[in-house]
Amino acid sequence: MKKFVLPVITTLLLVSCNKIEEKIDQTVQKTTEKVQQKTQQVVEESVKRAVDESVNSLTNSKNATLNEVFPGTATSIISEEKGKKIKIPGRPEGYIFKYKADIAVLLPFLENQPTSDESKSDKKARKIDGQNIIDKISLASKFLPENTFDTSFLEDIKNDKNIEYYKLKRFPNSSTIIYNPKNQTIIQYVEVNK
């Protein structure tokens, strides 16, 4: 009888351990799924809140001129100027301008702007690859409601290989410049780090 009882008890213990392990696995899986769902929900809510704040910032943005950011801007070097002061959550104060200008005249003007910290400033504007800029604008435009702003320029910069991109930091201002040599249109984003 002892020979029979020991294997039965061992078998029962083994089956019980397997059931306990199975129950633990199910509990862990359910908990993992709940955590993933909650995390996804929190991320979606955060993105929606940030997008709503950005949209409100864009729709409530104030008109601005290049002269506000770069005092002494000669009106003779730019034309057809449009500008907005915007606030993007988590970013410093910003301005976006669209105007026409000769890049050969504009860049030296911007490079000669006074700076509050020469060690944090560029001496010259540097030409950059625009793919990163295109990607950021494309991503942002996906979250914006239709008719928030005109995204037709996005198609132009995606498809036109002649578009030029520049970066220039003259602390506290940091400029990203998109230049279309065909029509001398410039789109400039200026971030003001105070």
Side-chain angles (χ1 to χ4, degrees), residues 96-139:
I96 189 155
F97 299 103
K98 182 178 181 183
Y99 53 90
K100 291 191 181 237
D102 181 356
I103 198 77
V105 175
L106 179 71
L107 288 180
F109 168 79
L110 294 174
E111 292 165 346
N112 289 320
Q113 286 296 303
T115 175
S116 58
D117 189 343
E118 195 63 49
S119 67
K120 294 181 181 179
S121 299
D122 299 329
K123 300 265 186 245
K124 295 281 183 193
R126 62 190 194 286
K127 202 170 191 179
I128 60 170
D129 173 28
Q131 191 57 51
N132 190 25
I133 295 169
I134 293 170
D135 293 343
K136 285 180 183 178
I137 295 172
S138 296
L139 179 65

Side-chain angles (χ1 to χ4, degrees), residues 32-76:
T32 302
E33 288 172 1
K34 286 180 183 176
V35 167
Q36 286 173 340
Q37 287 173 348
K38 186 66 176 174
T39 301
Q40 184 176 355
Q41 181 182 359
V42 167
V43 167
E44 286 174 358
E45 288 172 2
S46 295
V47 167
K48 183 173 177 7
R49 196 171 27 253
V51 167
D52 287 346
E53 288 175 18
S54 295
V55 169
N56 287 338
S57 170
L58 289 173
T59 56
N60 295 327
S61 61
K62 297 178 184 175
N63 288 335
T65 64
L66 202 59
N67 196 47
E68 289 176 44
V69 182
F70 303 106
T73 303
T75 54
S76 62

